[in-house]
Amino acid sequence: MKSVALHNLGCKVNGYEMDFMQQTLQEQGYQIVPFDAKADIYIINTCTVTNIADKKSRQMLHRARKQNPDAIVVAVGCYVQAAHEEALKDLSIDLAVGNNRKKDLVLILEEFLKEWKQGKASCDKTLQGKTVIDIGQTSEYESMQLKGTAWHTRAFIKVQDGCDQFCSYCIIPYARGRIRSRAEEEIIEEVQTLARNGYREVVLTGIHLSSYGLKSGQGSDFSRSRLLSLIQQVARVQGIERIRLGSLEPRIITPEFVQGLAECKKLCPHFHLSLQSGSDSVLKRMNRKYSSEEYYEKVCILRKYFENPAITTDVIVGFPGESVQEFQETAHFLEKVHFYEMHIFKYSQRKGTLAASMEGQIEESVKGRRSAELIESGKNMSKQYRESFLHKEVEVLFEEEKIIGGKSYQIGHTREYILAAYETHENLSGQIFSMVPVGFLQEDILI
């Protein structure tokens, strides 16, 4: 029995795929050990969304090699896909497996191990054409089926892959390929399995979730999206009591779509609408296909059909050419929308994207100041949103115990994804209760 250590970098889609790879390895008799342990095989599921992500991926691969120089080090995923020639030159990497081949990891690994036994020098490092395909030319959805995840109450379910939007700063369409969707019956089968295994909440996720059901070339016609239909089918699965959605494209938000969501009582009122900038001129340079006014209209639609929904977003600061005025437009717009949570990112030049060669690259010190300002603003808005639920009855799905100030609390998320605390020594994990909690957590501080 060979021991395998795994490490995941990046998004929830990567996390889902890593869970599946671990599941298949265990089913084939491999022993899973912690990543900091000495293992026979190290598998790193890489990320390439920014240059920093590339760097972290390389660091983890080098760390694995250092932990056991005689081990087999496997690089999997987006970094390999986007820069496989560079990856294959890395002496820390023995085997590179790109996207849309993760489902075949065990078969690829077994073939590699046969060559490995014959001597390291004779091993074909690339197995080219088998492990790194031309991702831009495939329309096949990589089918996977999970029985469980690291979470015991909430399961992420990948339903879609690829992106056709080609934002000027983003490498993901080149790393993940064009849009493609998973068959609805396969998704429902997986949800039913997870429900039988005790999961109460599922999160539908994808690289560009709003494109679910669309074919490449239809990527901006969200009226054809089958996402609402999928949600309605998932809601019919007995045992599933909550449905959450991953990041949504703002343009999918219409009165008809949101009314359909509101009629689905299992759907949680927690919506992540990626913004990136509140300045129309910056949005245009980013190749985001909406204006700030159109975005705000989408938020208003959500707030019309849902009472005080949680609206979260992503924002990039320091995009090439971002002037002081454009940054202030963004800061004022964020206050106008008043988000529950914001993920603030400093723009990172990504080789291979249009934005990387744009004029007006912003100094890191300026990005740092702008980022710090928006992060502080976001903390204040988030605190205000949490406080709006104080002393009110909320529904909580409990997940774990936490000791705060020497006292024992059961911790779980509300439907809005606010972390709530209830003081008790009783184990409530996996149970859903409507109650007035003691308070809500923000950065491990009880408010």
Side-chain angles (χ1 to χ4, degrees):
M1 180 185 294
K2 288 191 175 293
S3 59
V4 180
L6 304 105
H7 184 80
N8 186 66
L9 294 161
C11 64
K12 299 300 184 185
V13 171
N14 252 19
Y16 173 92
E17 293 166 347
M18 178 58 92
D19 284 342
F20 176 79
M21 288 186 281
Q22 177 172 326
Q23 176 180 286
T24 55
L25 286 162
Q26 288 176 310
E27 289 174 347
Q28 294 302 313
Y30 289 85
Q31 178 189 5
I32 307 300
V33 299
F35 191 78
D36 57 1
K38 187 174 182 179
D40 299 314
I41 303 167
Y42 292 89
I43 299 173
I44 294 87
N45 197 19
T46 63
C47 179
T48 193
V49 68
T50 65
N51 287 338
I52 294 173
D54 278 356
K55 182 179 179 181
K56 288 182 178 178
S57 296
R58 290 191 294 268
Q59 286 174 338
M60 295 309 298
L61 290 160
H62 297 166
R63 177 178 162 187
R65 171 62 66 217
K66 186 176 180 181
Q67 285 181 186
N68 184 2
D70 297 323
I72 296 170
V73 178
V74 186
V76 180
C78 291
Y79 169 63
V80 171
Q81 191 69 51
H84 62 275
E85 290 184 7
E86 177 184 342
L88 293 172
K89 294 176 183 176
D90 192 327
L91 297 179
S92 293
I93 300 173
D94 296 307
L95 177 62
V97 180
N99 287 324
N100 247 47
R101 293 310 316 273
K102 294 178 181 179
K103 70 180 187 302
D104 302 318
L105 175 68
V106 172
L107 292 175
I108 292 170
L109 188 57
E110 292 291 341
E111 184 176 348
F112 183 87
L113 286 170
K114 288 179 183 177
E115 294 188 27
W116 186 269
K117 290 177 182 178
Q118 298 171 8
K120 206 168 183 179
S122 68
C123 188
D124 178 6
K125 188 175 183 179
T126 66
L127 299 175
Q128 197 67 32
K130 296 181 180 180
T131 66
V132 183
I133 67 168
D134 185 350
I135 198 73
Q137 298 300 314
T138 186
S139 59
E140 176 193 2
Y141 182 86
E142 185 178 24
S143 182
M144 300 177 179
Q145 284 277 355
L146 268 187
K147 300 172 185 175
T149 71
W151 291 82
H152 299 295
T153 54
R154 177 181 303 106
F156 288 85
I157 298 177
K158 178 187 169 188
V159 303
Q160 183 276 340
D161 209 337
C163 182
D164 284 5
Q165 299 306 305
F166 290 95
C167 298
S168 64
Y169 53 82
C170 188
I171 198 69
I172 295 305
Y174 305 98
R176 283 282 180 173
R178 305 295 81 79
I179 57 171
R180 51 205 187 276
S181 301
R182 186 178 182 185
E184 190 174 282
E185 56 270 23
E186 287 187 18
I187 298 169
I188 299 306
E189 181 182 346
E190 182 175 70
V191 173
Q192 290 171 337
T193 298
L194 290 165
R196 286 194 296 270
N197 290 339
Y199 290 85
R200 314 292 294 279
E201 180 179 306
V202 293
V203 185
L204 304 183
T205 189
I207 296 300
H208 196 259
L209 181 62
S210 301
S211 295
Y212 179 77
L214 299 180
K215 299 183 185 302
S216 189
Q218 300 176 335
S220 293
D221 187 2
F222 297 106
S223 66
R224 297 188 182 189
S225 171
R226 297 207 320 269
L227 181 58
L228 178 58
S229 174
L230 174 63
I231 295 165
Q232 292 166 339
Q233 292 299 318
V234 172
R236 294 190 178 100
V237 176
Q238 187 175 359
I240 297 299
E241 298 187 40
R242 286 181 171 185
I243 302 169
R244 290 191 194 278
L245 303 178
S247 182
L248 292 176
E249 163 69 45
R251 289 172 292 161
I252 199 175
I253 303 298
T254 63
E256 297 76 20
F257 178 76
V258 178
Q259 183 177 359
L261 296 181
E263 290 170 355
C264 179
K265 302 307 177 185
K266 292 184 179 181
L267 185 81
C268 294
H270 171 210
F271 304 100
H272 188 87
L273 294 186
S274 188
L275 171 65
Q276 306 304 1
S277 176
S279 168
D280 289 343
S281 51
V282 175
L283 287 171
K284 188 174 182 179
R285 295 201 298 276
M286 288 179 167
N287 197 31
R288 302 291 289 180
K289 301 173 180 67
Y290 52 80
S291 67
S292 58
E293 181 181 354
E294 289 168 334
Y295 184 99
Y296 188 70
E297 289 172 357
K298 306 303 186 181
V299 172
C300 291
I301 292 171
L302 288 169
R303 287 174 173 163
K304 176 182 176 182
Y305 286 91
F306 291 90
E307 182 182 356
N308 200 17
I311 312 290
T312 61
T313 198
D314 302 314
V315 179
I316 296 173
V317 298
F319 189 76
E322 184 184 62
S323 66
V324 173
Q325 179 181 342
E326 288 172 328
F327 172 70
Q328 289 303 322
E329 288 171 357
T330 293
H332 293 151
F333 184 75
L334 299 178
E335 289 286 352
K336 177 182 177 181
V337 176
H338 216 272
F339 291 96
Y340 161 42
E341 283 187 339
M342 304 188 303
H343 302 143
I344 309 298
F345 300 92
K346 291 182 286 186
Y347 170 73
S348 171
Q349 274 183 285
R350 188 60 181 82
K351 184 180 178 181
T353 64
L354 182 62
S357 58
M358 284 183 177
E359 295 182 358
Q361 299 290 330
I362 307 296
E363 293 181 4
E364 287 301 318
S365 59
V366 175
K367 293 179 193 177
R369 289 195 299 271
R370 292 178 181 179
S371 174
E373 180 179 330
L374 295 190
I375 288 171
E376 188 61 29
S377 173
K379 288 179 180 179
N380 293 333
M381 283 190 272
S382 187
K383 186 172 187 289
Q384 290 168 21
Y385 183 77
R386 286 175 167 87
E387 288 175 341
S388 71
F389 289 89
L390 286 175
H391 314 302
K392 294 181 180 179
E393 185 176 282
V394 293
E395 181 188 279
V396 182
L397 171 56
F398 287 101
E399 298 160 18
E400 62 178 340
E401 179 188 23
K402 197 173 190 70
I403 305 299
I404 305 172
K407 296 181 180 179
S408 176
Y409 294 88
Q410 288 291 304
I411 304 297
H413 284 92
T414 70
R415 288 169 57 83
E416 295 78 14
Y417 210 66
I418 303 173
L419 201 53
Y422 179 64
E423 187 178 354
T424 180
H425 289 283
E426 184 181 358
N427 182 7
L428 302 178
S429 181
Q431 300 183 56
I432 296 177
F433 290 105
S434 291
M435 60 172 59
V436 178
V438 171
F440 300 105
L441 288 174
Q442 182 175 7
E443 298 180 339
D444 285 336
I445 298 173
L446 193 62
I447 61 172

